[in-house]
Amino acid sequence: MPRIPPKDGVRRSPLQDNPVVGHKRVLLAAPRGYCAGVDRAVVAVERALERYGAPVYVRKQIVHNIHVVTELEARGAIFVDEVDEVPEGAHVVFSAHGVSPMVVSEASDRGLHAIDATCPLVTKVHREAVRFARDDYEILLIGHDGHEEVEGTAGHAPDRVTIVNSPDEADSVHVNDPSRVVWLSQTTLSVDETMETVRRLRARFPELQDPPSDDICYATQNRQVAIKKVAREADLVIVVGSANSSNSVRLVEVALEHGAKAAYRVDYADEVRQEWLDGVATVGVTSGASVPEVLVRQVLTDLAAAGYGEVEEVRTAEEDLVFSLPKELRQDTTGRRGGRVRS
Ligand code: SF4
């Protein structure tokens, strides 16, 4: 069950005030939390439940956050691994991470009513893969083997894609024709590590082509820039996000690489351990792109109970992007929040 504050507000923080040399404060990174693609995907499931009634099936976790998934399950969403688990003729939502054409065709073969909540920024990478494959390029896809997004993107050009998991793999990956090779990437990687992978690929393949525009999305980049600034001054960084959330895990790594003395990821506030605060004056807080703000607020409430009541927001970018809903649901044409709307 989700561990959000009870409605009567009565919840005791498990954290205690502790003596610290220095001024106790929280630096709260911004932007943090929900991105436009996650917002759209979650609203898509909510709208599908309203319109078609429960159950609505969702292939894979709609977004990588356990709280969001648990809440949607309570409202009638059923999460499955593959479309063959969905009864024929039912409604199924494809997650924000995207699917390969094979999944789309399997859903069609079963007579499913599919609602595609793939983030438009993932779809952009799919289109790049299709185009470069058609133009006879070998595609080096930088990303984590086994991640749903990587499987979906690779599935758009299965004969042309080789996955490169890390900078070290750049030193050994094989290509048939080094004069016709391009790199693409997963949207939620560490910018710095990806650039290191590209540098090492280019050292081996000087004619390596870049993607037409950044594949690492605006939300991933903005959250990394913000936590870098916070980490420089933080004794401890707490990242709210789930273990299978790539961009949340990257935020922990980026914080450690940019000066945080310690950094931990938690799903819920009650996972913050008392001993993490020993000797800590400044706590940095952020959250991954699939994390509702209520979970961050709970961490701040508990930190306040431990004496870290002073909160300073460190903002490095403004975000107002909103994606329109999947076309299958587009009776009312916009997502939930105000801002620039893109299809
Ligand atoms: Fe889209 Fe980026 Fe959000 Fe992923 S993290 S859903 S690519 S905006």
Side-chain angles (χ1 to χ4, degrees):
M1 287 297 293
R3 304 203 292 262
I4 56 174
K7 290 216 164 36
D8 62 6
V10 181
R11 177 182 174 279
R12 288 170 64 86
S13 166
L15 303 178
Q16 294 155 14
D17 208 344
N18 60 344
V20 164
V21 181
H23 179 69
K24 283 182 170 180
R25 62 175 180 158
V26 170
L27 296 181
L28 182 59
R32 64 181 176 278
Y34 266 23
C35 61
V38 162
D39 189 46
R40 171 183 187 262
V42 173
V43 173
V45 178
E46 291 171 347
R47 291 284 165 84
L49 284 164
E50 285 162 17
R51 190 171 297 179
Y52 308 118
V56 163
Y57 292 81
V58 183
R59 182 185 178 275
K60 309 285 187 189
Q61 291 191 347
I62 184 72
V63 298
H64 284 158
N65 183 266
I66 188 64
H67 175 79
V68 171
V69 167
T70 309
E71 290 255 293
L72 290 172
E73 273 176 340
R75 296 173 64 171
I78 296 178
F79 292 87
V80 297
D81 272 334
E82 295 302 340
V83 289
D84 63 8
E85 298 167 55
V86 181
E88 289 184 17
H91 286 88
V92 63
V93 182
F94 297 146
S95 79
H97 308 101
V99 294
S100 71
M102 193 183 295
V103 172
V104 175
S105 117
E106 282 169 9
S108 168
D109 291 347
R110 286 182 72 72
L112 304 182
H113 299 284
I115 297 160
D116 187 359
T118 302
C119 176
L121 300 182
V122 175
T123 302
K124 176 188 85 80
V125 184
H126 292 175
R127 291 204 185 107
E128 289 169 358
V130 169
R131 178 161 73 80
F132 281 110
R134 190 190 56 216
D135 293 347
D136 212 21
Y137 277 83
E138 286 177 70
I139 299 165
L140 298 177
L141 177 59
I142 303 172
H144 298 129
D145 210 355
H147 188 281
E148 286 141 49
E149 182 190 320
V150 170
E151 287 176 353
T153 301
H156 279 75
D159 301 331
R160 309 298 301 180
V161 166
T162 304
I163 296 165
V164 182
N165 275 282
S166 65
D168 284 347
E169 283 195 17
D171 297 338
S172 57
V173 68
H174 171 77
V175 302
N176 292 314
D177 180 359
S179 71
R180 246 180 137 64
V181 58
V182 62
W183 70 274
L184 303 178
S185 86
Q186 190 178 333
T187 56
T188 51
L189 300 180
S190 154
V191 174
D192 296 340
E193 186 177 291
T194 302
M195 289 305 107
E196 171 62 11
T197 304
V198 172
R199 188 188 67 72
R200 285 159 74 165
L201 286 172
R202 185 157 283 125
R204 295 185 58 215
F205 313 121
E207 293 178 66
L208 179 72
Q209 186 154 331
D210 294 322
S213 60
D214 285 349
D215 286 343
I216 298 179
C217 75
Y218 80 99
T220 298
Q221 296 195 37
N222 285 349
R223 280 148 193 71
Q224 288 177 17
V225 169
I227 201 58
K228 282 180 189 177
K229 190 163 181 195
V230 165
R232 285 201 287 270
E233 296 183 53
D235 303 305
L236 164 71
V237 165
I238 297 170
V239 177
V240 186
S242 287
N244 60 347
S245 162
S246 172
N247 77 85
S248 300
V249 174
R250 301 289 85 74
L251 287 171
V252 173
E253 296 168 357
V254 169
L256 289 170
E257 284 160 11
H258 287 80
K261 297 193 183 98
Y264 300 99
R265 180 200 56 74
V266 297
D267 267 302
Y268 293 103
D270 61 11
E271 294 166 18
V272 176
R273 297 209 206 129
Q274 181 72 41
E275 61 264 30
W276 294 353
L277 300 174
D278 287 349
V280 165
T282 300
V283 183
V285 175
T286 188
S287 57
S290 48
V291 177
E293 183 67 3
V294 64
L295 301 179
V296 175
R297 291 288 143 193
Q298 190 63 68
V299 170
L300 296 179
T301 300
D302 284 7
L303 287 173
Y308 301 87
E310 182 186 318
V311 179
E312 182 187 331
E313 187 173 80
V314 177
R315 176 169 292 281
T316 52
E318 299 290 340
E319 293 180 350
D320 64 355
L321 187 63
V322 177
F323 292 127
S324 56
L325 283 172
K327 62 179 185 307
E328 301 85 0
L329 292 168
R330 225 179 281 167
Q331 236 167 30
D332 47 351
T333 49
T334 60
R336 183 162 50 196
R337 303 203 179 102
R340 289 184 295 133
V341 179
R342 286 195 345 201
S343 299

